[in-house]
Amino acid sequence: MSASPRNRTVSRLRPFASTIFAEMTALAVEHDAINLGQGFPDTDGPVSMLDTARQAIADGLNQYPPGPGMPVLRHAVAADRLARYGLDHDPDSEVLVTVGATEAISAAILGLVEPGEEVLLIEPYYDSYAASVALAGAVRRTVPLVRSGESFAVDLDGLRDAVTSKTRMLVLNTPHNPTGTVFTREELEAIARLACAHDLLVLSDEVYEHLVFDGRTHTAIATLPGMYERTVSVSSAAKTFNVTGWKIGWACGPAELIDAVRTAKQYMSFVGGGPFQPAVAHALTHEQQWVRRLRDSLQTKRDVLYDALVAAGLEVRSGGGTYYLCADITGIGEHDGIEFCRNLPARIGVAGVPVSVFTDHPTKWKPLVRFAFCKQDQVLDEAARRLRALGKPGS
Ligand SMILES: *Cc1c(COP(=O)(O)O)cnc(C)c1O
């Protein structure tokens, strides 16, 4: 028995032991701050979807659903992707329901990448990617987004240079968390050419597929030439229908890729969220109008936060999609996003998260901070008022 606590976590997972979200949320609670750190909405999804879930529980849909997911949801996902992208997935073999997009991502990496093979991530990246690569015993390589005017662009030369004979998979996320960047069709076409040239699999995380602003469109990379057969597309109900707690996600792609994802998935959770599956199917089929209104309201909220950050003296980047804005704090004499975020709840009563925690190159990303704007108007207005105070002397 040792007096000092030992770290019993396996070495490949030790770097992922704690997340910044827990720390920032604790600070937000301690200082009664408005939490724009963690990205979850504070309003409910469509009423008819919530009612369908309640009814499903009342009707006794409370046992294990089928392994690949309830047929009603798989059919709804396939119909939705056919209607919006022209992609014709067989609901029985090419759509898999998962425990959120998170499980689809882990299962795709575990099911499709051998230990020692390389996975390319675009940095900054959603935190679960790196942990999933580590779980799989694979090797991650990251290529940073580069600055492009007010926004970010994919470093296509950097991506090309990062591909080796061991590269098996490229993980893409557009619209992009944490920067809010919506990759252009030209960027995706260039990525597609690279994937085809090097026979890479692509894992495309599209959980913000509906949340694009100012008339932008989301391009599903699986629609590009040569891509359907090498792409696992992932999305979920969480961000589309304001139900981050339901954990209903899906993976779509050619049967042989989805088979591999299912093989891993069935030993991770087997199944999940029985009564929520028909509810999400209902929403996909009947609540697209609700989703458009959500998108429009988020665009307005984006503007509110954007204006406040600019008034505070920060330089705002991107804002094309998702529900995040990134701001550079150099303009107000700050340089370290982690320090800044640790102090912000006490200083003005708002919490954000440093972008550097989503990267392998923290120095390069040090002055960027991510703020979420998926909050009720009065909450966001108050956060905006507090943020503006940053621009006033003595704050
Ligand atoms: C929220 C989020 C997820 C996780 O989605 P769940 O359906 O809640 O598991 C995956 N990827 C990105 C980029 C996200 O922001």
Side-chain angles (χ1 to χ4, degrees), residues 35-182:
N35 191 354
L36 305 186
Q38 217 171 1
F40 59 87
D42 59 356
T43 51
D44 268 330
V47 171
S48 73
M49 177 186 75
L50 306 177
D51 285 343
T52 306
R54 270 190 284 271
Q55 194 59 48
I57 292 172
D59 289 348
L61 286 183
N62 300 307
Q63 309 309 324
Y64 298 128
M70 284 185 188
V72 66
L73 179 53
R74 284 185 278 115
H75 282 262
V77 169
D80 177 53
R81 288 181 62 83
L82 181 61
R84 290 188 300 113
Y85 302 127
L87 288 168
D88 197 359
H89 300 281
D90 171 14
D92 292 327
S93 61
E94 303 190 321
V95 179
L96 173 70
V97 176
T98 56
V99 179
T102 307
E103 187 189 52
I105 292 159
S106 304
I109 295 171
L110 285 162
L112 289 163
V113 182
E114 298 284 359
E117 287 184 328
E118 293 175 6
V119 178
L120 264 181
L121 305 183
I122 293 175
E123 171 183 290
Y125 52 79
Y126 185 63
D127 54 356
S128 85
Y129 305 163
S132 295
V133 170
L135 277 172
V139 177
R140 89 173 172 269
R141 286 178 150 256
T142 59
V143 178
L145 286 176
V146 289
R147 183 133 181 221
S148 164
E150 264 213 353
S151 186
F152 293 95
V154 178
D155 179 2
L156 293 166
D157 292 330
L159 269 186
R160 220 167 276 129
D161 292 346
V163 175
T164 75
S165 59
K166 289 192 171 159
T167 312
R168 179 87 286 248
M169 178 185 274
L170 166 67
V171 183
L172 262 193
N173 170 219
T174 180
H176 182 256
N177 177 10
T179 65
T181 308
V182 180

